[in-house]
Amino acid sequence: MSEEGTNELVELAAEAYVYGCPLVLDLSMVDTCVHEGFGPVAAAPFNRFSHSTRLGDAGTRFASVNNDTAYSLAQLDLSSGPLRLHVPDTGGAYYVVQFVDAWTNNFAYVGSRATGTEAGDWLIVPPGWAGTSPADVRGVIDAPTSVVTLVGRNACDGPEDLERRVRPLQERFTLTPLKGSEHGSGLPAPDAGVPAELGFFERLRVWMADFPPSAADRAHQDRFQPLGLLEEGPSPYAAAVPALVGALKEGLARGRERVEAAGVPGAGGGGKWMMNPHLFDYNLDWFGVGTIDSPEWKIADRKDAYLARAVAARVGLWGNHGYEAVYAQAFRDSDGEPLSGAHRYELRFEELPPVDAFWSLTMYDVPDSYLVGNPAGRYSIGDRTPGIVHADDGSLTIHISRERPADPAAAANWLPAPEGNFRPAFRLYMPKTPVLDGQYELPVIRRVGAAGQG
């Protein structure tokens, strides 16, 4: 193969990585959830809910896990037919069930924002289904792929609320086959004879065939034919020629570099929070119950959408559209210096975040983004925190430090920090328009002294 031909294959392989890594990351996590579990959520077979038995804490070794909601996960296999989802009445409490296809598209939402908090049933149907839905369901949710992830989040005000209210509520989220068997065919297995160095492309080849994307995406992936990604039957990677192996390996590395570079946060000049309400706008084709099908929630260029989708899968798999929840993070203070437990900080809100559900500020360490253990057992603070103190003028000041503040009012508004560098994350559930259009900005974090002083 000529040098020019090799370079073309390398570039094609890099593009294939950017295009296909969301599918591989998603279905790899689906497999993990079915067989091993996910953070505080135990393993469960397809078509069964599994619920978190505890809120995220310092023992949860999962990056950026939240401490606000109790997770309920279900991996669906619709190859045997539709499933009936029942959601209970939450009494006005916030919840969302997010529907994610195998390519990580958020294609439907059921919950407080989208459908309300009353009880009801929904029919989830596989691609191409042409049956008759029961008359008593609230609606039909068409799945783009036969494997789907349901990510349920119930607002939880702490461990006591989890046991008293949320756990009984979780058990009333149920999945029932419309008829016939509840078990589908599961995920197709990649060829075990493929070398580990080509495992990504083998998984992409097998899963791409079983879970085809939209027509527009299929037209795009046809260009990956020279890589062997469209071949059926025995794997072309079990005994690939050296030139192809080299191109795939180099292309994989190059593709990863592109995704990692695109996912690196900006400098956050002046300590500004980095917030992107449009991180999950790469879905261009599937808009079901609870989604917003309008230009401002779509990435206009499809190739740009592929890169955004890859970044989102790497840094925030199964995250929500911005109109359901917005996430922000900060690494630096108002002077541009890294946030560190060597100092004390204040975050003062003249105007509280405009949300229709709730907001929270959660502490994570750096670089792992794990929750930070502390004697107070407080991992986040927000508008639901008991005893939080507002000033007479309505403003709110959050105190961030390693040690508990001596002043009782400051201690009530204290978010514990680790000894080293840290990254707080802000979550705004059901954000209002000023958040989404940029009119509202989170205040910067100001350094007010050294740790152990004041």
Side-chain angles (χ1 to χ4, degrees):
M1 182 180 295
S2 68
E3 182 177 346
E4 181 180 355
T6 299
N7 289 338
E8 289 178 356
L9 274 186
V10 169
E11 177 58 28
L12 201 59
E15 291 185 26
Y17 177 84
V18 173
Y19 171 80
C21 78
L23 177 71
V24 173
L25 290 172
D26 178 89
L27 294 181
S28 296
M29 183 58 74
V30 167
D31 187 66
T32 296
C33 288
V34 170
H35 295 102
E36 302 173 23
F38 169 85
V41 183
F46 278 107
N47 302 336
R48 299 271 186 88
F49 270 110
S50 181
H51 309 290
S52 55
T53 57
R54 69 180 193 277
L55 291 174
D57 56 27
T60 305
R61 301 288 88 176
F62 187 81
S64 300
V65 67
N66 83 47
N67 185 248
D68 305 313
T69 65
Y71 287 104
S72 295
L73 295 180
Q75 309 304 329
L76 309 189
D77 182 352
L78 302 169
S79 58
S80 290
L83 291 169
R84 187 175 182 132
L85 166 68
H86 174 77
V87 296
D89 189 332
T90 66
Y94 175 83
Y95 88 97
V96 62
V97 177
Q98 168 194 1
F99 294 69
V100 190
D101 75 4
W103 291 87
T104 71
N105 294 303
N106 295 327
F107 66 92
Y109 295 92
V110 169
S112 303
R113 176 196 60 83
T115 59
T117 60
E118 65 273 16
D121 285 19
W122 302 84
L123 191 67
I124 311 167
V125 305
W129 187 74
T132 302
S133 63
D136 61 341
V137 299
R138 289 186 60 184
V140 174
I141 296 174
D142 293 289
T145 53
S146 60
V147 165
V148 166
T149 296
L150 301 190
V151 186
R153 299 175 177 89
N154 279 280
C156 185
D157 293 342
E160 291 184 3
D161 190 40
L162 178 64
E163 294 300 323
R164 175 183 56 82
R165 181 187 65 85
V166 177
R167 290 284 297 280
L169 193 65
Q170 288 177 318
E171 297 302 324
R172 300 204 296 274
F173 285 82
T174 60
L175 291 161
T176 309
L178 184 61
K179 60 180 179 180
S181 171
E182 66 175 344
H183 302 296
S185 55
L187 297 178
D191 190 326
V194 172
E197 61 188 2
L198 300 182
F200 169 85
F201 291 101
E202 172 61 6
R203 292 193 297 276
L204 179 58
R205 180 187 75 90
V206 172
W207 290 341
M208 202 164 64
D210 255 44
F211 307 104
S214 67
D217 284 357
R218 285 198 297 272
H220 178 81
Q221 71 186 30
D222 283 348
R223 58 202 305 278
F224 301 135
Q225 175 70 54
L227 301 174
L229 285 171
L230 304 185
E231 292 191 25
E232 300 179 0
S235 175
Y237 307 125
V241 299
L244 179 59
V245 172
L248 291 173
K249 289 171 61 178
E250 186 176 343
L252 179 70
R254 189 178 296 182
R256 279 178 173 161
E257 288 175 1
R258 289 178 188 172
V259 175
E260 295 300 329
V264 172
K272 287 188 176 181
W273 292 80
M274 289 167 283
M275 179 167 61
N276 181 9
H278 299 285
L279 179 61
F280 297 93
D281 289 1
Y282 48 79
N283 174 21
L284 304 178
D285 304 296
W286 314 106
F287 296 91
V289 173
T291 60
I292 299 178
D293 183 4
S294 62
E296 66 266 30
W297 294 106
K298 298 177 184 178
I299 296 173
D301 182 89
R302 194 167 286 265
K303 286 196 71 173
D304 290 344
Y306 295 148
L307 181 59
R309 183 176 68 180
V311 170
R314 293 284 288 179
V315 304
L317 185 66
W318 301 344
N320 293 288
H321 275 101
Y323 47 76
E324 184 68 42
V326 167
Y327 315 101
Q329 58 183 342
F331 292 86
R332 297 180 179 274
D333 63 23
S334 57
D335 295 323
E337 296 298 321
L339 298 171
S340 167
H343 308 288
R344 295 181 295 111
Y345 302 91
E346 288 183 356
L347 179 62
R348 179 180 171 82
F349 292 90
E350 301 290 347
E351 177 187 357
L352 295 177
V355 295
D356 283 323
F358 63 95
W359 61 264
S360 70
L361 178 67
T362 306
M363 177 62 69
Y364 297 101
D365 66 10
V366 173
D368 296 320
S369 293
Y370 292 154
L371 293 172
V372 176
N374 60 87
R378 176 178 281 183
Y379 302 99
S380 63
I381 191 170
D383 56 1
R384 301 171 302 149
T385 300
I388 197 166
V389 177
H390 294 258
D392 292 340
D393 62 2
S395 64
L396 173 68
T397 300
I398 294 177
H399 300 268
I400 303 172
S401 61
R402 204 170 62 209
E403 299 91 359
R404 180 193 298 271
D407 177 69
N413 296 358
W414 175 47
L415 181 63
E419 291 187 3
N421 288 0
F422 59 84
R423 171 188 69 89
F426 219 97
R427 290 179 169 89
L428 302 98
Y429 294 85
M430 293 175 58
K432 293 184 178 181
T433 299
V435 174
L436 299 177
D437 65 13
Q439 292 182 49
Y440 177 83
E441 290 189 8
L442 293 168
V444 296
I445 299 173
R446 294 189 308 107
R447 188 169 71 191
V448 294
Q453 299 177 358

PDB file of all heavy atoms in Angstrom, residues 244-256:
ATOM      1  N   LEU A 244      -3.196  -2.706   7.417  1.00  0.00           N
ATOM      2  CA  LEU A 244      -4.481  -2.314   8.004  1.00  0.00           C
ATOM      3  C   LEU A 244      -4.370  -2.198   9.518  1.00  0.00           C
ATOM      4  O   LEU A 244      -4.892  -1.251  10.110  1.00  0.00           O
ATOM      5  CB  LEU A 244      -5.567  -3.328   7.631  1.00  0.00           C
ATOM      6  CG  LEU A 244      -6.964  -3.051   8.207  1.00  0.00           C
ATOM      7  CD1 LEU A 244      -7.481  -1.695   7.744  1.00  0.00           C
ATOM      8  CD2 LEU A 244      -7.946  -4.166   7.827  1.00  0.00           C
ATOM      9  N   VAL A 245      -3.672  -3.136  10.129  1.00  0.00           N
ATOM     10  CA  VAL A 245      -3.488  -3.087  11.583  1.00  0.00           C
ATOM     11  C   VAL A 245      -2.802  -1.779  11.993  1.00  0.00           C
ATOM     12  O   VAL A 245      -3.229  -1.089  12.924  1.00  0.00           O
ATOM     13  CB  VAL A 245      -2.671  -4.290  12.089  1.00  0.00           C
ATOM     14  CG1 VAL A 245      -2.326  -4.126  13.570  1.00  0.00           C
ATOM     15  CG2 VAL A 245      -3.445  -5.590  11.869  1.00  0.00           C
ATOM     16  N   GLY A 246      -1.743  -1.417  11.295  1.00  0.00           N
ATOM     17  CA  GLY A 246      -1.025  -0.195  11.611  1.00  0.00           C
ATOM     18  C   GLY A 246      -1.893   1.041  11.439  1.00  0.00           C
ATOM     19  O   GLY A 246      -1.864   1.953  12.273  1.00  0.00           O
ATOM     20  N   ALA A 247      -2.676   1.073  10.352  1.00  0.00           N
ATOM     21  CA  ALA A 247      -3.538   2.229  10.105  1.00  0.00           C
ATOM     22  C   ALA A 247      -4.626   2.340  11.165  1.00  0.00           C
ATOM     23  O   ALA A 247      -4.945   3.443  11.633  1.00  0.00           O
ATOM     24  CB  ALA A 247      -4.160   2.120   8.717  1.00  0.00           C
ATOM     25  N   LEU A 248      -5.188   1.214  11.569  1.00  0.00           N
ATOM     26  CA  LEU A 248      -6.240   1.239  12.585  1.00  0.00           C
ATOM     27  C   LEU A 248      -5.695   1.697  13.933  1.00  0.00           C
ATOM     28  O   LEU A 248      -6.325   2.497  14.630  1.00  0.00           O
ATOM     29  CB  LEU A 248      -6.880  -0.140  12.717  1.00  0.00           C
ATOM     30  CG  LEU A 248      -7.727  -0.608  11.526  1.00  0.00           C
ATOM     31  CD1 LEU A 248      -8.160  -2.064  11.716  1.00  0.00           C
ATOM     32  CD2 LEU A 248      -8.949   0.281  11.345  1.00  0.00           C
ATOM     33  N   LYS A 249      -4.521   1.212  14.295  1.00  0.00           N
ATOM     34  CA  LYS A 249      -3.930   1.599  15.580  1.00  0.00           C
ATOM     35  C   LYS A 249      -3.597   3.085  15.602  1.00  0.00           C
ATOM     36  O   LYS A 249      -3.890   3.788  16.581  1.00  0.00           O
ATOM     37  CB  LYS A 249      -2.682   0.763  15.855  1.00  0.00           C
ATOM     38  CG  LYS A 249      -2.968  -0.698  16.179  1.00  0.00           C
ATOM     39  CD  LYS A 249      -1.700  -1.527  16.227  1.00  0.00           C
ATOM     40  CE  LYS A 249      -0.736  -1.055  17.283  1.00  0.00           C
ATOM     41  NZ  LYS A 249       0.476  -1.921  17.335  1.00  0.00           N
ATOM     42  N   GLU A 250      -2.990   3.568  14.528  1.00  0.00           N
ATOM     43  CA  GLU A 250      -2.636   4.983  14.492  1.00  0.00           C
ATOM     44  C   GLU A 250      -3.879   5.860  14.423  1.00  0.00           C
ATOM     45  O   GLU A 250      -3.959   6.907  15.063  1.00  0.00           O
ATOM     46  CB  GLU A 250      -1.727   5.279  13.300  1.00  0.00           C
ATOM     47  CG  GLU A 250      -1.201   6.709  13.294  1.00  0.00           C
ATOM     48  CD  GLU A 250      -0.215   6.980  12.173  1.00  0.00           C
ATOM     49  OE1 GLU A 250       0.321   6.003  11.587  1.00  0.00           O
ATOM     50  OE2 GLU A 250       0.025   8.169  11.877  1.00  0.00           O
ATOM     51  N   GLY A 251      -4.860   5.412  13.652  1.00  0.00           N
ATOM     52  CA  GLY A 251      -6.111   6.169  13.554  1.00  0.00           C
ATOM     53  C   GLY A 251      -6.858   6.220  14.877  1.00  0.00           C
ATOM     54  O   GLY A 251      -7.437   7.252  15.235  1.00  0.00           O
ATOM     55  N   LEU A 252      -6.822   5.114  15.618  1.00  0.00           N
ATOM     56  CA  LEU A 252      -7.453   5.085  16.930  1.00  0.00           C
ATOM     57  C   LEU A 252      -6.817   6.117  17.856  1.00  0.00           C
ATOM     58  O   LEU A 252      -7.518   6.890  18.531  1.00  0.00           O
ATOM     59  CB  LEU A 252      -7.313   3.685  17.536  1.00  0.00           C
ATOM     60  CG  LEU A 252      -7.908   3.475  18.929  1.00  0.00           C
ATOM     61  CD1 LEU A 252      -9.422   3.509  18.880  1.00  0.00           C
ATOM     62  CD2 LEU A 252      -7.434   2.151  19.515  1.00  0.00           C
ATOM     63  N   ALA A 253      -5.502   6.157  17.876  1.00  0.00           N
ATOM     64  CA  ALA A 253      -4.799   7.126  18.725  1.00  0.00           C
ATOM     65  C   ALA A 253      -5.107   8.549  18.282  1.00  0.00           C
ATOM     66  O   ALA A 253      -5.336   9.435  19.125  1.00  0.00           O
ATOM     67  CB  ALA A 253      -3.292   6.861  18.664  1.00  0.00           C
ATOM     68  N   ARG A 254      -5.124   8.776  16.984  1.00  0.00           N
ATOM     69  CA  ARG A 254      -5.393  10.123  16.478  1.00  0.00           C
ATOM     70  C   ARG A 254      -6.826  10.543  16.803  1.00  0.00           C
ATOM     71  O   ARG A 254      -7.080  11.696  17.192  1.00  0.00           O
ATOM     72  CB  ARG A 254      -5.153  10.163  14.967  1.00  0.00           C
ATOM     73  CG  ARG A 254      -5.191  11.551  14.374  1.00  0.00           C
ATOM     74  CD  ARG A 254      -4.890  11.520  12.882  1.00  0.00           C
ATOM     75  NE  ARG A 254      -3.530  11.046  12.587  1.00  0.00           N
ATOM     76  CZ  ARG A 254      -3.028  10.960  11.357  1.00  0.00           C
ATOM     77  NH1 ARG A 254      -3.789  11.305  10.299  1.00  0.00           N
ATOM     78  NH2 ARG A 254      -1.786  10.535  11.167  1.00  0.00           N
ATOM     79  N   GLY A 255      -7.774   9.630  16.656  1.00  0.00           N
ATOM     80  CA  GLY A 255      -9.170   9.936  16.975  1.00  0.00           C
ATOM     81  C   GLY A 255      -9.357  10.255  18.440  1.00  0.00           C
ATOM     82  O   GLY A 255     -10.076  11.197  18.806  1.00  0.00           O
ATOM     83  N   ARG A 256      -8.694   9.480  19.299  1.00  0.00           N
ATOM     84  CA  ARG A 256      -8.790   9.744  20.734  1.00  0.00           C
ATOM     85  C   ARG A 256      -8.236  11.126  21.071  1.00  0.00           C
ATOM     86  O   ARG A 256      -8.809  11.852  21.901  1.00  0.00           O
ATOM     87  CB  ARG A 256      -8.024   8.671  21.503  1.00  0.00           C
ATOM     88  CG  ARG A 256      -8.791   7.373  21.695  1.00  0.00           C
ATOM     89  CD  ARG A 256      -7.961   6.354  22.423  1.00  0.00           C
ATOM     90  NE  ARG A 256      -8.736   5.178  22.756  1.00  0.00           N
ATOM     91  CZ  ARG A 256      -8.206   3.999  23.071  1.00  0.00           C
ATOM     92  NH1 ARG A 256      -6.869   3.854  23.089  1.00  0.00           N
ATOM     93  NH2 ARG A 256      -8.974   2.972  23.385  1.00  0.00           N
TER      94      ARG A 256
END
